[in-house]
Structure formats: structure tokens, C-alpha cells
Amino acid sequence: MRNMYVVVLFMSSFFCEGQTEKYKGQAPIAIVPTVSKPIQKQWKGVVTFNDGAVTFSNDFDGGRLNGIMQNEDGTYTALITSENTPINISPWYAFKVWSTQRDSVSITMTYQDPVKHRYYPKLSHDGRQWTSLDSLDYTAYEKGTAAFGGGSLPVRIRMKVAVGPEPLWIAGQELQTSSHVAKWTQKMAQYAYVSRHTIGKSKEGRSMQALTIGKPTSKRMLMVISRQHPPEVTGYLAMQSFVETIAGNSRLAKRFRKKFTTYVVPLMNPDGVDNGHWRHNAGGIDLNRDWANFNQPETTNVASFMEERAAKTQGTFYFGIDFHSTWDDIYYTLDPKFKGNMPGLVPEWLDELKKAFPEYDPNIRPSDKVEPTAVSRNYFFKKHGAEALVFEIGDNTPRAFIKEKGEMSATILMRSMLARLKDKKQ
């Protein structure tokens, strides 16, 4: 007798590898409404197959698995859908699988039309240490011919993984949920010159944590933010390295903290991250389109915090940086014609970064538009005069290089800012 299909939907009813050329960057930012709109909440739970022999679960922070079915040949097909539409092609997935006996299972990843597979599978046995799936266990189907973007992606992929009684975590990128970020901020706050505080609540009531690195009375300030978009983990990893270097014990870092204070909001979108969203916050909005209207609490919290700091210290924000991830490493800067509180800082910084990595050619995409201030970079510059940019890290950038680049980026920035301060004899 042929096996029957077994289907479980984890939802209520609906309504790159090797690269040889540079990513040309995203199209000009479209101005969109940022008033909250509905999202599709996924059902969270576990489902078993073969009389309990194999189990799948999305019941954890950051999980996303909207449907799972067992095929007649014993393989499985997973369905991944977004929180709402229209949406960026960032199909996040994260789930666990285990079995009563040690075995291997094959899982085909599928998505809502016309979305394709983007994130290469990462595996973990504890939710903390992650490795990429062996390429021999990965098969891509109907892969696009373009070098970058949606046109380069396969329609679906199949992965083969070894399973046993201990849960195997499978995700598009390493999990870095609000609890992971909280542990990191707690660790950072152990330094005497670092304080940890809450600047407000997200739409679902999660705390938005911030770090102050240096003297809170300083009139010279920097702003660092990360994870406006939930799946963009590589940007978050670069931010960690960048911030840890500024908070480090080097002579340079100590000198820098005497002159400048750095404020950090490492997790801008805790609701989206913990709910396993592709792009949006719990209000169904791309936060990096809300820096003009401030309809969402997350952007409002950061803007209010910056305004409060500037007013209380009677000080100046000299630099603002927003860490993201995309198809390839890229820097979205402002045209040098825009002069902020430390003119020329960003071009000089990137030139020095290129010298530090002789074989690395930074992909720099300046913008000649600062209004409307829909994105954080434009807000930082227009409202506070800060030299600002978006620092994008490729989805598949090697993790060791992410760390190294974050460290070097912070080191060069500190040197440049201190040198400019010395030239002004401030």
C-alpha cells in the first residue's frame, strides 16, 4: 500500500555563492507608507511523523516554519512564507528536527511564489555554535543565471541532514535573538565605562536595549544601530566586532573614550527577530523607511533618545552608522558634497580601510539625496549633522573576515576622529 501524504501547516488560513563582480546596489529608496498594517502570525508548535519517529519544531524565538509535509518517498517539504506582503526577498527560516533513531532526512525548502531560496543552511546542535551545511548535502534547483540578487537564486533547494535524539537546529543564518543580544549587552556592561539601559519598548512590548560606551556627559557622540531587518545577522556580527573594539583595552580605544562617547542600539527590531520575520516589525513595516514619519515605536525610541542626548549634553553627533546585510559587502554613503559635523570623515575612513586590506576593494555607493529622511543614514545627517552611512555585509561573507573588518573599521575610525579633533585643537 502506498504511503499517504501527511501535511501539517504551521499557520492559520492565508489571505550566493562565489561572486566575480560587484553588486550594483539597490535601486533608489522608495518612499512608502509606514502606518502599521496587519501581519500573519505563524502557528508555533511541534509536529511528528512516522508515529513519532521524526519531529519538527518552530517553537522557539526566531523560529520560522510555516508548513511541513512528508512525501511518498519519505523526504520532507518545508514551506516558508512571509509575515505580510509586499516584502523584500529575505525568506528567513529556522526550525529544529530530531528523530528517535539516528538517521538522515532530506528536506526540500519551498517559498511563496515568486520568492526563491536565499540563505544557505546553517546547522547547530546547541543553538549557539553554527556550521554551514556540507555542500555535498545541498542541491539547488532552477538556479538563476544572474550574479546577484533575486535573479541569482534557486527556486528551491534540498538538503540532507543527519538527525538523532538531540535536536538539530537548521536556520538561514546563525540565531541571534533578543535573548542572545541581551547576554551580549550584559557582558559588555561589565566594563566600568559601559552602561546598559532601556530606551523604550517595541510594538509588542519588548525592551530596546542600548549601550553607552564612555562618559554620558560627553559633548562628542557617535550613534550605532543594527538589525532593523531581522535576517540580517552578518551586519549584526560586524557591529559586535566594531563595538567591542571601541570598548576594548587598547591605548587607542582608551584615548578615544576620553574624547567621544558611543551609543549603541544593537537590536532595533526585537519583535521581528523573535517572531522570525523576513523584514518587518510587529507593525508590518520596514523600519528603515520610517525615519521621516516615525509611525513605529522602534524608530521613535531611537530618535527621541538621540534628541534627548543632544539636548542634555548640549553636544554633537559626529558619526552615525547603521549595520545591515545584503547580497554582497557594500557601503551606502552620502555624496561628499554634503558637509556634516566632521566633513570628509567617511571617504577618508573608507580609503584607509582599503589600504588596510590591499586585496579588498570596498564597494561604495554614495547617494546624492538626503530628503526625505526615510532611512536612518539620512536622518542621522539631516537631523544631527552626523557623518553617516549604511554598512552592509554580504550574506555569505566569511565570519572571520567579518570580525576582522569590524575591528579594523573601528580602529581606523577612532584614529581618524581623534586626528581631526587634534587638528581642531578641541
Side-chain angles (χ1 to χ4, degrees):
M1 181 177 177
R2 300 180 71 182
N3 292 333
M4 298 295 291
Y5 282 93
V6 179
V7 182
V8 176
L9 288 183
F10 283 176
M11 57 183 160
S12 56
S13 294
F14 257 98
F15 49 100
C16 310
E17 292 157 1
Q19 298 170 347
T20 58
E21 63 183 72
K22 285 186 178 182
Y23 177 43
K24 294 180 173 58
Q26 64 185 10
I29 297 295
I31 306 305
V32 298
T34 59
V35 176
S36 295
K37 58 183 183 180
I39 62 170
Q40 175 68 58
K41 297 279 281 188
Q42 64 172 325
W43 181 86
K44 289 289 192 82
V46 300
V47 59
T48 60
F49 297 92
N50 301 338
D51 296 325
V54 178
T55 302
F56 289 83
S57 172
N58 65 352
D59 195 14
F60 55 91
D61 284 348
R64 191 155 202 93
L65 178 63
N66 302 91
I68 187 72
M69 63 178 284
Q70 185 178 32
N71 305 309
E72 289 185 339
D73 61 1
T75 64
Y76 297 87
T77 296
L79 172 65
I80 307 297
T81 63
S82 59
E83 59 271 18
N84 59 8
T85 59
I87 200 162
N88 176 274
I89 304 174
S90 303
W92 172 259
Y93 60 91
F95 54 91
K96 300 179 193 177
V97 58
W98 62 92
S99 65
T100 55
Q101 302 294 324
R102 298 204 176 276
D103 200 353
S104 64
V105 298
S106 292
I107 306 165
T108 298
M109 303 294 297
T110 63
Y111 305 89
Q112 66 199 57
D113 187 59
V115 176
K116 301 176 182 179
H117 180 84
R118 174 170 174 175
Y119 298 111
Y120 192 86
K122 311 297 185 299
L123 310 179
S124 176
H125 288 286
D126 59 9
R128 297 186 299 275
Q129 302 296 319
W130 296 83
T131 58
S132 292
L133 177 72
D134 191 314
S135 61
L136 296 176
D137 296 322
Y138 177 90
T139 305
Y141 298 95
E142 300 178 63
K143 191 176 188 300
T145 58
F148 294 98
S152 69
L153 303 178
V155 171
R156 65 190 185 284
I157 65 102
R158 176 176 289 190
M159 68 180 91
K160 183 179 180 181
V161 294
V163 295
E166 307 83 15
L168 174 69
W169 305 62
I170 302 174
Q173 300 283 24
E174 302 91 323
L175 279 179
Q176 290 291 333
T177 64
S178 62
S179 62
H180 293 92
V181 177
K183 290 177 182 177
W184 179 72
T185 58
Q186 288 168 358
K187 178 181 177 182
M188 294 296 296
Q190 292 177 0
Y191 293 109
Y193 46 83
V194 178
S195 61
R196 176 176 180 258
H197 42 99
T198 298
I199 63 169
K201 299 286 187 180
S202 66
K203 193 167 185 66
E204 290 188 337
R206 292 177 175 84
S207 295
M208 288 187 65
Q209 297 294 314
L211 295 173
T212 297
I213 303 173
K215 296 177 290 186
T217 56
S218 174
K219 294 180 179 292
R220 305 183 190 96
M221 301 175 287
L222 295 78
M223 190 71 218
V224 179
I225 66 173
S226 173
R227 292 295 285 286
Q228 292 200 73
H229 303 142
E232 298 184 7
V233 173
T234 55
Y236 170 79
L237 297 176
M239 180 279 303
Q240 279 189 310
S241 179
F242 183 89
V243 169
E244 287 169 358
T245 303
I246 291 175
N249 289 318
S250 69
R251 292 178 62 185
L252 174 64
K254 292 175 181 178
R255 285 174 50 219
F256 187 77
R257 292 193 298 271
K258 289 180 180 179
K259 299 294 184 179
F260 293 93
T261 292
T262 303
Y263 296 105
V264 186
V265 180
L267 183 53
M268 281 286 303
N269 191 352
D271 296 344
V273 167
D274 285 359
N275 284 310
H277 285 183
W278 291 18
R279 182 78 169 183
H280 299 154
N281 74 334
I285 296 300
D286 180 342
L287 292 178
N288 206 31
R289 301 296 182 270
D290 189 43
W291 291 88
N293 295 324
F294 296 101
N295 287 315
Q296 301 302 312
E298 294 86 354
T299 48
T300 300
N301 290 338
V302 175
S304 297
F305 174 74
M306 293 181 71
E307 291 174 19
E308 180 271 335
R309 288 285 81 205
K312 189 165 187 177
T313 63
Q314 291 297 295
T316 300
F317 279 95
Y318 285 91
F319 182 76
I321 186 167
D322 182 3
F323 285 86
H324 286 256
S325 305
T326 189
W327 310 99
D328 190 17
D329 289 13
I330 190 167
Y331 304 80
Y332 289 112
T333 62
L334 290 172
D335 191 292
K337 70 182 180 182
F338 296 112
K339 307 297 183 183
N341 295 325
M342 202 169 266
L345 173 65
V346 171
E348 176 187 296
W349 174 51
L350 294 177
D351 285 344
E352 292 300 313
L353 186 62
K354 184 175 180 179
K355 292 177 185 176
F357 298 103
E359 297 183 1
Y360 176 62
D361 186 13
N363 187 0
I364 303 168
R365 301 288 170 176
S367 172
D368 62 357
K369 295 185 182 352
V370 295
E371 292 185 290
T373 59
V375 299
S376 60
R377 176 200 62 197
N378 293 7
Y379 169 79
F380 292 158
F381 173 79
K382 192 66 180 176
K383 178 66 178 180
H384 294 280
E387 310 298 336
L389 78 157
V390 174
F391 195 168
E392 301 254 19
I393 308 298
D395 295 336
N396 300 316
T397 300
R399 277 32 179 179
F401 185 50
I402 290 176
K403 180 175 174 58
E404 185 179 7
K405 189 163 67 164
E407 291 172 350
M408 186 57 68
S409 295
T411 298
I412 293 172
L413 181 72
M414 290 189 289
R415 286 175 184 162
S416 295
M417 294 186 74
L418 285 170
R420 285 167 173 268
L421 204 61
K422 183 178 180 181
D423 290 343
K424 290 184 178 181
K425 296 181 180 180
Q426 294 183 355

